[in-house]
Amino acid sequence: MPSPPLFSRILIANRGEIALRIIRACREMGIESVAVFSEADRGAPYLRMADRAICIGAGPAAESYLNIPRIISAAEISNADAIHPGYGFLAENAHFAEVCRDCRIEFIGPSPEAMAKLGDKVSCKQTARAAKVPVFPGSDGAIEDEEVAVQVAQKIGYPVIVKAAAGGGGRGMRVAHNEIALRAGLKSATQEAAAAFGNGAVYIEKFLERARHVEVQVLGDKQGNAVHLYERDCSVQRRHQKLIEEAPGPGIDPKKREEVCKSAARLIRAANYHGAATVEFLMDEKQNFYLLEVNTRVQVEHPVTELITGIDIVRTMIEAAAGRPLPFRQRDIVTRGHAIECRINAEDPARNFAPSPGAITRFEPPGGPGVRVDTHAVTGYRVPTNYDSMICKLLVHADDRERAIARMSRALREFVIEPIKTTIPLHRELMNDAGFSRGGVDIHYLERLLKK
Ligand code: ADP
C-alpha cells in the first residue's frame, strides 16, 4: 500500500527555538513552513528561515500565540494543510485541536479525545489504573466530600498532596502533613483551581518527600502502534521548572527501566494515542515509580532522547499526523551513550533568577564533537519581555555520563552571551558539583543547593 502523502505546507503556531526546530524539520522533509509572529517577535532572525511569516497580533500571548481565530486565519490565508503547535501556548488545548479538525487542518498531535483523556489528571489516572500503570495511592477520582478525603488520607498516611484535576504549572497544589492542613488545603486548592482553570475539581494522593523526576518519551501512530524511546531524568529543577535533563537516568536499575518504559507505552496505547507524548513519573529511593502526568505534546527536552536514540522526534510526529505508520518497532530502538541538556535562560541566578531581557550584542555558541545548540538567538537578537525566558538549549552527547559532563563543562566554558545575564554560570557550577556528578539527585536538590 502506498504511504499517505505528507503535508505540503505546515503552519507553526509557536515561536522561538521550537518554531525553528519545526521549520528545520519541514525543510528537511520537503514541506513548506509558515511561521507566525507577534509584534514583539517582528524581525526575529529565525522567521527568515521559514518559507513565509505572518503577523498574528500584538505582543501579549492572548492577542497572538494563544489567539485561535487569528492562527486559523493565518493557516487559511497561507493554505496550510497542517498546524504544529510546538509546546506551551495551544499545544495542549483540546478545543484548539477540535477547531483544527473542524477546519480540516491536521493538528500535529493527538486527537482532541486522546488529549482530553490524558490531559485531565483524574481521567488520566483512571486510564492508567486500567492499563496497570502504577499511580500514587490516593482518592479514586475528584473529591466530592471532605470527610471522604480525610478518610483516604488516614488510610494512605500523611503527608498527602491536594492537586487540581485541570492543574498545570504547579498551581492548585497543597501539601498537607495532618488533618487540619488537609481541610484547609482542600478549600484553598479548590478556590485556586476554579480561578486558574475554571474547574475546581481536586483530588489527593500520597506525597513523596524525596523523589526523582523520571519521564518516558513515547510515540504512537494512527494504526495503533506505540513505542517508547526510553527515559529522561529531569530532577534538577527550581520551582518545578526543569533546568537540566539527561538520558539515560543515572543509576536506574535495568529491570525498573524496562518496567517504567513499558508502562508508558501501555498507557498511550490504551488511550489510542498518536504523535509524541511524555509520560512523567516520580521515582522514590527504592525506584518505585508513580505516574505524575502525561504531556500530550513535544517536550522542551526531546533532543536529549534524539541524541541517544538517533530518532528525529519532530519528523516522526509529522509523519504520524499524516497517517504514516511508525517506521520502527520497539526492538529497533536502541540507545547509545549519554546525553545532557542545559536550559539557558535569560535570568540572573545571582539575583534570584530575575528576568534579564534585552539585546544580545555578543552570542558565540560552542561547537565541536557531540555538541548540539538549539536556539533562535544570534548576535543582535533582542530577548522580548513577553514570553518564557529560555533562549537556548545546550546539549551534549558522549559515550558515558562522565564524559558527557566533561563535554558539557567544556561547552559551557566556550559559550559567550553578552551583556544579558543567563543561567550559564549556574550550569558551570552544577557540572562541577559533587552531588550532581554522583547522579540520581532528587527534585529538591537544586533548591537546597541554592540556599547554601
Ligand atoms: P503541574 O501539571 O502543575 O506541573 P504535576 O502533577 O506535574 O503538576 O506536579 C508538579 C510538581 O509537583 C512535580 O514535579 C513534583 O515536584 C510535585 N508533586 C506533584 N505530585 C507529587 C507527589 N505525589 N509527591 C511529591 N511531589 C509531587
Side-chain angles (χ1 to χ4, degrees), residues 26-193:
C26 290
R27 176 76 25 108
E28 289 179 14
M29 296 172 84
I31 299 171
E32 282 183 28
S33 56
V34 180
V36 297
F37 62 94
S38 73
E39 292 292 355
D41 283 327
R42 181 182 291 283
Y46 70 90
L47 295 168
R48 288 197 296 272
M49 308 255 203
D51 291 288
R52 186 171 175 186
I54 299 176
C55 182
I56 49 166
E63 292 172 49
S64 46
Y65 301 109
L66 284 172
N67 191 302
I68 296 177
R70 292 204 186 143
I71 288 168
I72 295 290
S73 306
E76 283 178 339
I77 292 166
S78 57
N79 246 321
D81 40 11
I83 292 183
H84 198 307
Y87 52 69
F89 299 121
L90 296 169
E92 292 180 273
N93 184 317
H95 169 65
F96 178 58
E98 230 172 272
V99 173
C100 289
R101 181 157 72 189
D102 291 346
C103 297
R104 295 175 190 284
I105 298 168
E106 187 70 32
F107 176 83
I108 301 177
S111 67
E113 293 76 22
M115 194 191 284
K117 193 171 198 169
L118 296 181
D120 178 273
K121 293 186 182 188
V122 168
S123 81
C124 179
K125 225 171 152 169
Q126 280 157 356
T127 312
R129 272 204 194 93
K132 300 215 164 18
V133 175
V135 297
F136 283 101
S139 54
D140 283 332
I143 300 219
E144 265 143 40
D145 179 349
E146 195 176 305
E147 299 313 315
V148 176
V150 171
Q151 280 165 19
V152 171
Q154 262 156 7
K155 207 172 115 212
I156 61 177
Y158 289 95
V160 299
I161 181 168
V162 183
K163 295 169 82 169
R171 279 180 302 176
M173 295 196 296
R174 296 287 183 281
V175 179
H177 289 265
N178 54 48
E179 188 180 322
I180 297 170
L182 173 61
R183 288 184 192 274
L186 284 168
K187 281 193 192 77
S188 59
T190 303
Q191 280 165 5
E192 190 174 316

Side-chain angles (χ1 to χ4, degrees), residues 121 136 161 163 167-171 173 205-208 213 237 240 280 282 292-293 443:
K121 293 186 182 188
F136 283 101
I161 181 168
K163 295 169 82 169
R171 279 180 302 176
M173 295 196 296
E205 61 188 28
K206 178 82 189 157
F207 181 72
L208 270 189
H213 176 113
Q237 307 183 355
H240 302 313
E280 298 189 331
L282 288 183
L292 196 54
E293 64 171 342
I443 51 179

Side-chain angles (χ1 to χ4, degrees), residues 13 36 117 216 262 279 428 435:
V36 297
K117 193 171 198 169
V216 181
K262 281 190 172 158
V279 184
R428 285 187 187 137

Side-chain angles (χ1 to χ4, degrees), residues 60 77 104 116 132 257 277 286 312 330 347:
I77 292 166
R104 295 175 190 284
K132 300 215 164 18
R257 162 171 303 129
K286 294 195 181 114
D312 184 329
Q330 189 63 57
E347 292 170 354

Side-chain angles (χ1 to χ4, degrees), residues 361-414:
T361 54
R362 240 182 113 194
F363 188 85
E364 290 166 22
V371 175
R372 170 171 167 177
V373 181
D374 276 26
T375 184
H376 57 294
V378 292
T379 293
Y381 177 70
R382 177 176 286 278
V383 182
T385 49
N386 307 62
Y387 314 108
D388 183 79
S389 63
M390 194 180 73
I391 49 169
C392 177
K393 306 189 302 207
L394 172 60
L395 293 116
V396 296
H397 184 218
D399 289 342
D400 57 35
R401 187 167 189 267
E402 203 183 326
R403 290 185 191 192
I405 292 176
R407 184 161 274 171
M408 180 59 89
S409 205
R410 183 271 289 172
L412 287 162
R413 274 182 72 163
E414 289 176 20

